[in-house]
């Protein structure tokens, strides 16, 4: 199951990953081999098999609605690459 | 052993007794391990960050660097978090702190816990204390190497596809991947959320049970956690009535090393002598399709979890003319190759046109795997196999071939997909390197795993200190 150079670039764009030419070439070969191996899951007849998204049968995990202290603004900004007052500053969209 | 404390042999339970009786102070104990780190970590590289001023009055611990520690750098072994200092503790870190434990440092891992050898760390690999030319296993190779070489009495790892069990096997430690939902992931750097679990890495089975008791339990900050049944500390060696199943597909997996097979068979013979019954059984679909299932589900979840690294709120930011370019450059510069591969693989499996064939099928295969295990637990209390088909492999042996690296996890993955607990204990040596025995049980059967693990540990008498350090 080969993946084309265009598909590698398409997926990288979806994932917001910049790739250089050498990386595109390297990942094309590696991803093709991996996809070939994992496409095995399509061999099985899975009609009427429900999906499992979570290994425990837990639903509706409710918590009490109790107010409590959270991070201060300074804590929340402690690791910010670029802070402007009470905002994260980013380049123009 | 400057202080007279032999960190290579001292168990955590013994260390607790020393501190409780006042024979050794918490600070002296911490210093003994720090001295061992200063002496040996140059050649091992088990630690990414060391703590210089520990807090607490108990015994020391090392934490895998995916566990957030307030005020102590937490990198997930990635360049994208190189300077990240958490402002809060992960629940498991807070529980260790509340128990008085003193932090030694943060241990090396494959970047974002993605790997089986710790070679994917952005800060260089960890070396196996039994043979410095070999990998310690991964992703939690740092925690396993630290415990094995006497640089920490015990440690925490995290296990998505085998990242506690595999390094424990390769380094001769006891490692538990707990039942999904028993240990909080709050504050643990997320990889694949339907699989990630934090687990203890220790020198023996009782230490493992002690640490699991401390870290497990429902946490309101992680809605997947549940109330955990009490964990019995294992005593004695009587295994009467214990029904052990031996899945053929795991025990006769392709490429199994003769020495690995022999060590596991010897351990099972001991289990029979102690009163257990051993019978072969089958897990045909789980083993044949488990790896493919895992390498779709885990990357799909990873591609979503790692979308948060965008250079805005924390972590690395690279330059870019506009917002989109800044994000793309940040992720290019910050993530290593394996992380990029998994993000792209997951994005592909979730993308329009491929979702049904890949991700939706994988979720159904997961049901098949769960049902196959459930059926076996009607007849057996536990399932036993090697943790890995081989012992620790040489550094570099698989690092250029991602698919070969993925195959390392073929024996640990099936139980993980089903949310089952698994304990790896050392059961002997193959050509001088430790062999891990994997014991898997139904959900919440940790006490049973510890019972068998402890009995075998007594019967086998494995020396956990690497031969080159004795």
């Amino acid at each position: 199951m080969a993946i084309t150079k265009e598909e590698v670039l398409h997926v990288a764009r979806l994932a917001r990953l910049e790739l250089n030419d050498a990386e595109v070439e390297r990942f094309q070969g590696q991803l093709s081999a991996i996809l070939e191996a994992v496409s095995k899951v399509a061999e099985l007849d899975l009609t009427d098999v429900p999906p499992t998204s979570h290994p425990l049968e837990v639903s509706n995990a409710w918590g009490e609605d109790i107010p409590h202290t959270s991070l201060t603004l300074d804590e929340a900004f402690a690791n910010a690459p670029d802070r402007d007052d009470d905002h994260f500053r980013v380049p123009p969209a | 052993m400057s202080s007279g404390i032999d960190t290579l042999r001292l168990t955590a339970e013994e260390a607790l007794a020393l501190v409780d009786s006042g024979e050794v102070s918490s600070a002296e104990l911490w210093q003994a391990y720090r001295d061992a780190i200063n002496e040996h970590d140059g050649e091992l590289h088990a630690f990414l960050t060391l703590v210089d001023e520990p807090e607490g009055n108990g015994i020391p611990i090392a934490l895998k660097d995916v566990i957030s520690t307030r005020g102590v750098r937490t990198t997930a072994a990635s360049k994208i978090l190189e300077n990240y200092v958490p402002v809060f503790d992960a629940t498991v870190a807070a529980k260790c702190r509340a128990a008085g434990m003193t932090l030694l440092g943060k241990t090396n891992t494959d970047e974002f816990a993605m790997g089986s050898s710790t070679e994917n760390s952005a800060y260089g690999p960890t070396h196996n204390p039994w043979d410095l030319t070999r990998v310690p296993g991964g992703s939690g190779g740092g925690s396993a190497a630290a415990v094995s070489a006497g640089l920490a009495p015990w440690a925490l790892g995290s296990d998505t596809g085998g990242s506690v069990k595999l390094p424990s096997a390769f380094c001769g430690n006891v490692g538990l991947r707990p039942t999904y939902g028993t240990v909080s992931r709050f504050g643990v750097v997320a990889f694949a959320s339907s699989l990630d679990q934090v687990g203890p890495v220790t020198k023996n089975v009782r230490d493992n049970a002690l640490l699991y008791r401390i870290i497990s339990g429902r946490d309101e900050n992680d809605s997947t956690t549940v109330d955990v049944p009490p964990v019995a500390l294992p005593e004695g060696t009587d295994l009467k009535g214990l029904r052990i199943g031996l899945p053929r597909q795991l025990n006769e997996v392709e490429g199994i090393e003769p020495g690995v097979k022999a060590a596991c068979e010897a351990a099972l013979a001991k289990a029979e002598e102690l009163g257990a019954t051993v019978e072969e059984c089958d897990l045909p679909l789980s083993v044949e399709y488990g790896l493919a299932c895992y390498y779709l589900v885990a990357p799909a979840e990873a591609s979503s979890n790692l979308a948060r690294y965008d250079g805005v709120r924390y972590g690395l930011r690279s330059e870019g003319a506009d917002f989109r370019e800044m994000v793309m450059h940040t992720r290019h510069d910050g993530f290593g190759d394996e992380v990029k591969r998994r993000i792209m693989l997951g994005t592909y499996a979730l993308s329009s046109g491929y979702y049904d064939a890949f991700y939706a099928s994988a979720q159904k295969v997961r049901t098949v795997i769960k049902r196959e295990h459930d059926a076996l637990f009607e007849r057996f209390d536990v399932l036993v196999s090697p943790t890995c088909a081989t012992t620790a492999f040489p550094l570099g042996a698989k690092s250029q071939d991602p698919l070969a690296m993925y195959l390392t996890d073929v024996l640990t993955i099936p139980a993980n997909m089903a949310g089952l607990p698994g304990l790896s204990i050392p059961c002997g040596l193959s050509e001088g390197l430790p062999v891990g025995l994997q014991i898997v049980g139904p959900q919440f059967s940790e006490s049973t795993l510890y019972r068998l693990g402890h009995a075998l540990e007594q019967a086998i008498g494995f020396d956990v200190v690497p031969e080159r350090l004795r």
Side-chain angles (χ1 to χ4, degrees):
Chain A
M1 151 124 220
I3 177 169
T4 64
K5 200 166 278 189
E6 288 66 38
E7 284 174 311
V8 173
L9 283 167
H10 173 63
V11 170
R13 267 194 302 275
L14 289 176
R16 300 288 185 269
L17 277 174
E18 179 80 30
L19 296 183
N20 60 37
D21 292 347
E23 288 167 327
V24 171
E25 194 158 322
R26 188 161 73 239
F27 290 140
Q28 187 190 351
Q30 292 171 340
L31 289 173
S32 292
I34 297 166
L35 283 167
E36 172 77 37
V38 298
S39 61
K40 201 174 165 60
V41 295
E43 285 173 6
L44 284 169
D45 179 8
L46 298 165
T47 344
D48 302 329
V49 179
T52 294
S53 58
H54 186 280
L56 282 185
E57 287 176 26
V58 178
S59 59
N60 295 341
W62 302 108
E64 293 299 318
D65 189 10
I66 304 166
H68 59 92
T69 52
S70 57
L71 298 180
T72 63
L73 271 180
D74 281 342
E75 284 170 334
F77 282 109
N79 284 283
D82 191 2
R83 177 183 181 177
D84 179 12
D85 197 10
D86 292 345
H87 303 278
F88 296 99
R89 184 162 45 201
V90 296
Chain B
M1 33 188 296
S2 50
S3 49
I5 298 166
D6 183 0
T7 63
L8 278 165
R9 298 220 171 257
L10 191 71
T11 67
E13 194 174 4
E14 290 164 350
L16 278 165
L18 285 178
V19 171
D20 282 350
S21 68
E23 206 171 316
V24 174
S25 75
S26 171
E28 285 166 339
L29 193 62
W30 184 90
Q31 191 60 50
Y33 286 95
R34 179 55 185 264
D35 290 346
I37 293 171
N38 291 345
E39 189 178 338
H40 291 290
D41 205 42
E43 61 184 20
L44 292 173
H45 194 228
F47 285 88
L48 292 177
T49 301
L50 292 175
V51 171
D52 290 321
E53 288 174 17
E55 297 164 25
N57 52 15
I59 74 166
I61 191 165
L63 301 177
K64 186 178 180 182
D65 207 24
V66 295
I67 297 170
S68 295
T69 39
R70 192 180 66 230
V72 179
R73 188 175 82 122
T74 300
T75 68
S78 180
K79 290 275 182 226
I80 215 160
L81 289 174
E82 187 164 11
N83 300 307
Y84 177 68
V85 180
V87 293
F88 66 98
D89 271 331
T91 297
V92 289
K95 285 187 171 201
C96 291
R97 208 187 276 272
M101 283 184 233
T102 51
L103 184 60
L104 288 159
K106 306 297 291 295
T107 57
N108 202 5
T109 163
D110 286 292
E111 184 178 1
F112 285 101
M114 295 178 185
S116 310
S117 68
T118 316
E119 290 168 293
N120 292 333
S121 167
Y123 304 101
T126 295
H127 298 254
N128 191 313
W130 289 76
D131 178 347
L132 296 175
T133 67
R134 290 176 186 265
V135 301
S139 63
S143 284
V147 171
S148 171
L151 311 190
W154 54 12
L156 290 181
S158 67
D159 189 298
T160 304
S163 289
V164 166
K165 293 186 283 186
L166 182 73
S168 297
F170 280 8
C171 293
N173 300 322
V174 176
L176 175 76
R177 175 202 162 79
T179 304
Y180 184 82
T182 59
V183 181
S184 170
R185 290 92 47 85
F186 176 71
V188 179
V189 177
F191 164 12
S193 302
S194 79
L195 292 156
D196 297 344
Q197 276 296 283
V198 172
V201 179
T202 58
K203 281 194 192 307
N204 70 21
V205 176
R206 280 176 66 94
D207 281 0
N208 207 282
L210 284 169
L211 188 50
Y212 177 61
R213 272 182 176 176
I214 292 168
I215 60 167
S216 58
R218 208 174 87 78
D219 176 14
E220 63 178 17
N221 287 326
D222 179 350
S223 62
T224 64
T225 54
V226 294
D227 290 318
V228 179
V231 180
L233 267 192
E235 311 258 6
T237 58
D238 183 9
L239 294 177
K240 268 189 209 69
L242 189 78
R243 301 165 302 168
I244 299 176
L246 286 187
R248 286 186 189 87
Q249 294 76 10
L250 294 173
N251 285 282
E252 292 161 21
V253 74
E254 200 185 318
I256 190 164
E257 230 174 79
V260 168
K261 202 169 164 51
C264 292
E265 282 170 358
L268 284 157
K270 292 216 156 58
E272 280 185 303
E273 284 169 25
L274 297 173
T277 59
V278 178
E279 193 189 323
E280 290 195 318
C281 59
D282 291 291
L283 272 176
L285 300 175
S286 299
V287 181
E288 182 160 7
Y289 294 93
L291 199 78
C293 179
Y294 175 83
Y295 278 100
L296 285 166
V297 170
E301 294 182 12
S303 71
S304 168
N305 272 327
L306 272 63
R308 73 190 66 181
Y309 301 100
D310 56 8
V312 176
R313 291 150 300 154
Y314 49 83
L316 179 77
R317 174 184 295 186
S318 298
E319 296 298 318
D322 58 26
F323 178 73
R324 187 192 168 89
E325 201 180 285
M326 179 279 284
V327 174
M328 292 188 69
H329 287 170
T330 296
R331 291 162 67 79
H332 173 269
D333 300 343
F335 291 139
D337 270 11
E338 182 58 28
V339 174
K340 286 175 181 157
R341 270 193 292 277
R342 296 209 195 184
I343 289 174
M344 287 196 286
L345 183 61
T347 304
Y348 186 83
L350 290 171
S351 67
S352 168
Y354 298 101
Y355 181 93
D356 285 330
F358 287 113
Y359 187 66
S361 296
Q363 284 196 308
K364 291 177 181 175
V365 173
R366 198 166 179 184
T367 306
V368 171
I369 293 171
K370 197 162 182 292
R371 287 176 176 172
E372 237 181 33
H373 282 84
D374 286 348
L376 286 186
F377 290 128
E378 306 263 319
R379 295 162 50 206
F380 300 107
D381 299 306
V382 294
L383 304 175
V384 171
S385 72
T387 306
C388 183
T390 69
T391 53
F393 48 87
L395 284 151
K398 303 183 182 185
S399 50
Q400 297 308 312
D401 184 352
L403 201 53
M405 188 70 88
Y406 294 177
L407 284 166
T408 312
D409 295 329
V410 70
L411 302 184
T412 54
I413 277 174
N416 287 24
M417 295 311 295
L420 306 173
L423 184 72
S424 181
I425 64 162
C427 67
L429 296 175
S430 170
E431 298 182 19
L433 294 168
V435 175
L437 186 78
Q438 175 177 238
I439 308 169
V440 168
Q443 290 178 342
F444 309 110
S445 67
E446 276 79 357
S447 292
T448 308
L449 307 190
Y450 286 140
R451 177 188 168 204
L452 174 57
H454 177 72
L456 286 178
E457 183 178 69
Q458 306 308 306
I460 294 167
F462 181 81
D463 187 345
V464 296
V465 177
E467 280 174 348
R468 53 178 284 278
L469 297 175
R470 283 175 206 161

